[in-house]
């Protein structure tokens, strides 16, 4: 046997063993789920998770350095097993990507195997565990002794290792609460929707004002025969403007007047008012099946009925625009003597306070822009800096990978 | 220009690509056809680029929200990869696959026209919106081209006319993987700002992860020196997973509560 053949046999032996190992791993995980009532894996909280992670990492480093020439350890940290575990993770994620991931839903066999919560299940956890072992060992071997040529490998794999391990064990310390705020009132408590517990927060929130902007409303035709709302022929659901013409088959409508914020006066005629009080009104005219018609349409609000216009067999309605922006002006007080600080919470613009991040989450959707309620989400994730360190290392490694790839091309 | 004018644009672009491809194919016999062929194909892409520019200008938001809009970008960019590959490596055949793929996406848009909608929901109004989606688009474009190159290699291996050009499908996959990684991490950073956590196992996230793992698997299989012929099959089929993560997710039972459902209605 020449050297090349020996090598190939070695590789395929490693793959076969890796495949078998992955199958046994997943099968063991499923047995644990079925036997244990599909409860999933619970990660302990701080400080135990920190201790476990440090011990885990230390064991990997020691094993990698001392048992470098051991055949089993070499296989445990080799590419063939790594590849098998990557594919195993992809296959398990496939179940998680197809079946609804809410424990207690889906077919019974899936529930018994906890495929309704794959990502917190034993098969997934065991695979991730050995994935981290595999990646950790190879990482130590590429880092000690360090060569500049390995920088990309080290950054990418170390970043991934840190982000994955800290994300997994840090999940136990992640706190997410919903804080309902009513205009003119303050609160220092949040509601944990998973555990159904009230949580006392290290700060007080006072809602000064909740404010929402909407997109322009749209004109639509309600066809009572088909029980359907139809937009105009061209399929271009544009926001309404004065002077615009809209056509449906057999129906032509002219928007004579458009008042974005209006209210009816004593005689029932819409007149422009302050933006906070009014609703959009539009005066329409046109012909339906040869007959002239004219009248006001409005979107309505929780306090007044929408106005509609009969046109032939259909009804012309003004559909309220979707929300464009919503935000909460709040005063945040941390501690008793604190005078408080005014902040604005907006979607995509969270605010940090005492280790918590506050997010504009929602509002009372029935009241829309008249909502007096603002839902704020509070998130505390002490492991975030570690996960982000991992992310940035991945991106740095990725940039080098890109550069090397381009250069070789 | 809007979706109303789109059919004219799509048919003109496809006619240019088709006509250009024919001229290019026959330029093997008549060299004089080479330049007009290439020019005609470039005109097809120029039509798509102009449409995108005018479409964006009239929309007041980046046209990256709906699947139909991302298909527009795809149809515009994927032939560009074909042209660049020909310019850089003198590999001429890839652009035929590329314009075929691009035409396929235009036809989908013709069959299922998108509703013209200006609105952009608050969660998408973020500095991350454009980089996240654009990085993914470029990644998908490169991996589609990689898959096309792999299919071509498989065809050549079966016909055993010549050895395939495995380096091409490999480098396209490598670059595509780099972009997928950036897209995934950008998405995580954005999710933290918008929804409070960087990873929530949303079905779209899960599928993006599956696709990423599949290509991560390819990278390792390549490092482990797995048979190059098998790897062409791997790359050719891996793109199917990417297609599921791109627009198959919306049809899966898991997607009912996805935060990535931006389709109107």
């Amino acid at each position: 046997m020449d050297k090349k053949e020996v090598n190939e046999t070695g590789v395929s032996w490693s793959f076969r063993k890796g495949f078998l190992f992955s199958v046994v791993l997943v099968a063991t995980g499923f047995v644990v789920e079925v036997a244990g009532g599909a409860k999933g894996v619970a990660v302990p909280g701080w400080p135990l998770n920190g201790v476990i992670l440090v011990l885990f990492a230390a064991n990997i480093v020691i094993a990698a350095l001392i048992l470098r020439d051991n055949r089993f350890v070499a296989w445990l940290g080799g590419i063939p097993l790594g590849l098998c575990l990557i594919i195993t993770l992809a296959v398990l994620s496939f179940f998680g990507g197809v079946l609804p991931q809410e424990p207690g839903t889906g077919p019974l066999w899936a529930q018994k195997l906890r495929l309704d919560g794959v990502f917190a299940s034993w098969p997934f956890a065991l695979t991730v565990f050995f994935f981290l072992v595999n990646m950790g060992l190879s990482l130590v071997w590429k880092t000690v002794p360090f060569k500049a040529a390995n920088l990309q490998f080290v950054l990418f794999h170390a970043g991934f290792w840190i982000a994955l391990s800290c994300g997994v064990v840090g999940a136990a310390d992640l706190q997410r609460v919903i804080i309902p705020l009513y205009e003119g009132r303050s609160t220092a408590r949040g509601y944990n929707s998973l555990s159904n517990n009230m949580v006392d927060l290290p700060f007080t929130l006072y809602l000064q004002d909740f404010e929402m902007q909407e997109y322009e409303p749209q004109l639509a035709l309600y066809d009572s025969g088909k029980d359907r709302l139809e937009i105009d022929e061209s399929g271009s659901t544009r926001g309404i403007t004065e002077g615009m013409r809209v056509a449906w088959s057999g129906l032509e409508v002219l928007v004579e007047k458009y008042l974005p914020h209006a209210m009816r006066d004593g005689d029932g005629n819409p007149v422009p008012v302050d933006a906070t009080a009014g609703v959009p009104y539009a005066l329409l005219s046109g012909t339906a099946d040869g007959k002239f018609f004219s009248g006001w349409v409005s979107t309505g609000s929780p306090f007044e009925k929408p106005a509609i216009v009969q046109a032939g067999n259909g009804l012309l309605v003004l559909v309220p625009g979707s929300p464009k922006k919503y935000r909460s002006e709040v005063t945040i007080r941390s501690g008793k003597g604190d005078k408080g600080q005014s902040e604005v919470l907006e979607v995509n613009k969270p605010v940090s306070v005492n280790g918590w991040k506050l997010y504009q989450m929602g509002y009372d959707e029935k009241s829309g822009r008249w909502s007096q309620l603002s839902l704020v989400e509070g998130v505390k994730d002490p492991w975030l800096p570690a996960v982000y360190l991992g992310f940035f290392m991945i991106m740095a490694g990725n940039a080098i990978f890109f550069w090397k790839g381009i250069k070789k091309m | 220009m809007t979706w109303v004018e789109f059919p004219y644009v799509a048919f003109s672009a496809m006619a240019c690509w088709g006509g250009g491809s024919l001229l290019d194919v026959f330029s093997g016999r008549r060299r004089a056809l080479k330049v007009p062929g290439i020019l005609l194909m470039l005109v097809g892409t120029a039509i798509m680029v102009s449409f995108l520019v005018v479409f964006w200008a009239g929309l007041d938001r980046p046209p990256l929200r709906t699947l139909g809009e991302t298909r527009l970008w795809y149809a515009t960019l994927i032939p560009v990869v074909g042209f660049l590959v020909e310019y850089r490596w003198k590999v001429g055949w890839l652009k035929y696959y590329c314009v075929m793929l691009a035409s396929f996406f235009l036809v989908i848009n013709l069959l299922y026209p998108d509703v013209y909608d200006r609105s952009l929901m608050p969660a998408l109004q973020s500095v991350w919106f454009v980089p996240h989606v654009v990085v993914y688009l470029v990644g998908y474009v490169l991996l589609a081209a990689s898959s096309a190159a792999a299919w071509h290699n498989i065809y050549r291996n079966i016909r055993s006319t010549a050895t395939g050009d495995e380096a091409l499908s490999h480098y396209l996959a490598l670059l595509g993987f780099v972009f997928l990684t950036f897209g995934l991490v950008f998405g995580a950073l954005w999710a933290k700002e918008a929804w409070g956590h960087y990873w929530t196992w949303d079905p779209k996230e899960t599928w993006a992860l599956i696709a990423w793992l599949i290509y991560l698997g390819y990278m390792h299989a390549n490092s482990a020196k797995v048979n190059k012929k098998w790897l062409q099959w791997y790359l050719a089929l891996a793109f199917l997973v990417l297609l599921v993560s791109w627009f198959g997710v919306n049809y899966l039972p898991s997607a009912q509560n996805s935060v990535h459902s931006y389709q109107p209605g």
Side-chain angles (χ1 to χ4, degrees):
Chain A
M1 235 195 261
D2 63 22
K3 202 181 170 197
K4 201 184 160 209
E5 260 179 67
V6 173
N7 244 347
E8 274 177 8
T9 328
V11 168
S12 69
W13 171 84
S14 295
F15 271 118
R16 242 174 271 160
K17 217 173 137 189
F19 175 75
L20 207 66
F21 183 79
S22 309
V23 171
V24 171
L25 210 57
V26 171
T28 310
F30 281 135
V31 169
V32 174
E33 288 297 352
V34 172
K39 292 221 171 65
V41 185
V43 181
W46 185 259
L48 195 55
N49 54 357
V51 174
I52 291 172
L53 184 62
V54 169
L55 286 177
F56 179 57
N59 271 304
I60 290 176
V61 173
I62 292 167
L65 293 179
I66 295 178
L67 303 170
R68 198 166 193 158
D69 298 323
N70 181 295
R71 205 172 162 206
F72 174 71
V73 176
W75 168 81
L76 201 59
I79 296 182
L81 179 64
L83 179 56
C84 292
L85 291 172
I86 288 169
I87 300 299
T88 308
L89 285 177
V91 171
L92 288 172
S93 302
F94 171 82
F95 285 107
V98 173
L99 298 166
Q101 291 300 296
E102 270 169 61
T105 59
L108 196 65
W109 60 270
Q111 289 186 31
K112 290 240 189 238
L113 294 172
R114 211 191 148 85
L115 288 175
D116 52 357
V118 174
F119 304 111
S121 72
W122 277 100
F124 196 78
L126 287 172
T127 313
V128 167
F129 178 83
F130 281 99
F131 184 59
L132 285 172
V133 170
N134 174 269
M135 201 178 1
L137 288 172
S138 63
L139 186 58
V140 175
W141 292 332
K142 286 268 185 180
T143 315
V144 186
F146 185 75
K147 278 187 246 155
N150 292 344
L151 185 64
Q152 182 264 328
F153 182 100
V154 171
L155 280 173
F156 193 94
H157 289 79
F160 194 20
W161 201 95
I162 292 171
L164 181 60
S165 61
C166 293
V168 168
V169 302
D173 297 322
L174 174 72
Q175 271 185 288
R176 300 184 73 158
V177 296
I178 298 164
I179 311 164
L181 292 177
Y182 290 90
E183 265 178 30
R185 283 201 249 164
S186 41
T187 184
R189 303 181 91 186
Y191 172 77
N192 185 331
S193 58
L194 288 178
S195 64
N196 284 337
N197 283 334
M198 292 303 284
V199 178
D200 286 315
L201 301 166
F203 51 84
T204 309
L205 291 180
Y206 173 80
L207 180 62
Q208 300 167 30
D209 188 29
F210 175 76
E211 171 186 303
M212 178 193 272
Q213 287 170 27
E214 287 168 340
Y215 282 99
E216 297 285 279
Q218 289 168 355
L219 199 57
L221 180 71
Y222 176 69
D223 187 328
S224 53
K226 292 185 206 152
D227 190 22
R228 216 170 62 177
L229 213 51
E230 289 184 352
I231 45 177
D232 72 352
E233 268 177 348
S234 67
S236 57
T237 56
R238 289 163 295 170
I240 195 164
T241 47
E242 238 170 61
M244 88 185 238
R245 283 171 190 281
V246 193
W248 289 267
S249 52
L251 177 67
E252 242 191 69
V253 178
L254 169 70
V255 179
E256 295 200 6
K257 236 186 198 173
Y258 173 59
L259 308 169
H261 310 285
M263 239 173 154
R264 286 188 191 268
D265 64 8
D267 305 325
N269 296 317
V271 284
V273 291
D274 183 56
T276 51
V279 297
Y281 270 89
L283 180 60
L284 309 176
S285 68
T287 47
D289 305 325
K291 274 188 228 159
F292 179 81
F293 67 85
S294 150
W296 287 93
V297 287
S298 81
T299 59
S301 78
F303 316 108
E304 65 174 273
K305 276 190 182 169
I308 48 179
V309 168
Q310 177 93 35
N313 295 325
L315 296 171
L316 286 167
V317 296
L318 200 55
V319 182
S322 51
K324 188 177 188 176
K325 272 197 166 93
Y326 48 94
R327 53 193 222 148
S328 302
E329 273 178 52
V330 294
T331 311
I332 305 173
R333 283 188 197 85
S334 45
K336 270 190 178 170
D338 191 0
K339 272 189 180 170
Q341 197 180 345
S342 256
E343 295 278 4
V344 175
L345 299 177
E346 212 175 305
V347 181
N348 268 310
K349 285 172 194 157
V351 169
S352 296
V353 49
N354 289 4
W356 287 77
K357 255 191 169 187
L358 301 175
Y359 296 81
Q360 175 70 58
M361 184 186 176
Y363 51 91
D364 173 9
E365 286 179 21
K366 271 189 201 146
S367 308
R369 69 186 165 98
W370 290 272
S371 176
Q372 301 276 312
L373 167 71
S374 173
L375 293 175
V376 171
E377 181 173 35
V379 180
K380 189 180 184 183
D381 186 3
W383 291 76
L384 188 70
V387 175
Y388 270 27
L389 173 70
F391 282 168
F392 286 107
M393 287 169 77
I394 290 175
M395 287 199 284
N398 208 29
I400 301 175
F401 199 37
F402 177 73
W403 182 244
K404 285 209 297 206
I406 283 282
K407 255 172 86 179
K408 271 195 203 157
M409 280 175 109
Chain B
M1 270 195 270
T2 64
W3 288 114
V4 180
E5 291 87 13
F6 172 70
Y8 305 107
V9 174
F11 282 119
S12 320
M14 286 191 282
C16 289
W17 288 333
S21 300
L22 280 179
L23 289 178
D24 198 65
V25 168
F26 288 115
S27 72
R29 289 187 204 148
R30 284 166 173 250
R31 300 295 301 160
L33 295 177
K34 182 91 189 161
V35 173
I38 293 283
L39 277 180
L40 199 54
M41 292 181 90
L42 288 175
V43 167
T45 296
I47 291 173
M48 289 306 301
V49 171
S50 336
F51 176 71
L52 261 181
V53 169
V54 181
F55 183 60
W56 189 336
L59 204 55
D60 302 334
R61 66 165 171 82
L64 293 164
R65 199 192 95 188
T66 64
L67 287 175
E69 286 162 8
T70 59
R71 280 192 288 260
L72 270 185
W73 285 91
Y74 209 75
T76 309
L77 291 178
I78 187 168
V80 173
V81 174
F83 302 145
L84 286 177
V85 164
E86 176 162 27
Y87 176 74
R88 176 71 179 75
W89 289 287
K90 313 289 173 239
V91 173
W93 51 263
L94 187 68
K95 63 177 183 295
Y96 306 137
Y97 289 87
C98 289
V99 294
M100 270 195 296
L101 262 173
S103 305
F104 170 69
F105 291 117
L106 288 182
V107 169
I108 295 182
N109 270 9
L110 286 169
L111 294 177
Y112 305 100
D114 247 354
V115 174
Y116 180 61
D117 190 348
R118 265 170 198 274
S119 62
L120 188 60
M121 58 195 72
L124 293 184
Q125 296 166 17
S126 161
V127 289
W128 286 108
F129 180 35
V130 173
H132 171 67
V133 182
V134 167
V135 161
Y136 259 123
L137 270 167
V138 174
Y140 283 20
V141 165
L142 289 167
L143 293 170
S146 159
S147 165
W151 282 116
H152 187 79
N153 289 336
I154 291 167
Y155 170 75
R156 287 173 68 155
N157 285 334
I158 290 173
R159 294 270 310 266
S160 64
T161 46
T163 47
D165 189 0
E166 278 104 11
L168 182 61
S169 58
H170 172 72
Y171 281 115
L172 287 169
L174 188 155
L175 290 184
F177 174 73
V178 165
F179 279 89
L180 280 196
T181 309
F182 274 126
L184 204 61
V185 177
F186 284 2
L189 294 173
W190 181 7
K192 178 70 198 170
E193 293 306 292
W195 300 310
H197 199 44
Y198 50 85
W199 197 266
T200 47
W201 296 110
D202 180 76
K204 193 93 174 180
E205 281 175 4
T206 303
W207 275 97
L209 178 75
I210 295 169
W212 186 77
L213 285 171
I214 293 291
Y215 281 99
L216 186 72
Y218 167 77
M219 289 295 149
H220 287 83
N222 185 69
S223 298
K225 308 244 182 313
V226 170
N227 188 323
K228 285 263 192 310
K229 282 185 186 170
W230 296 356
L231 287 183
Q232 297 314 301
W233 279 103
Y234 192 121
L235 280 182
L237 296 173
F239 185 61
L240 297 179
V241 179
L242 209 61
L243 284 181
V244 176
S245 93
W246 180 22
F247 51 44
V249 177
N250 292 4
Y251 305 104
L252 292 173
S254 57
Q256 288 149 9
N257 303 317
S258 172
V259 291
H260 279 91
S261 299
Y262 301 126
Q263 291 295 70

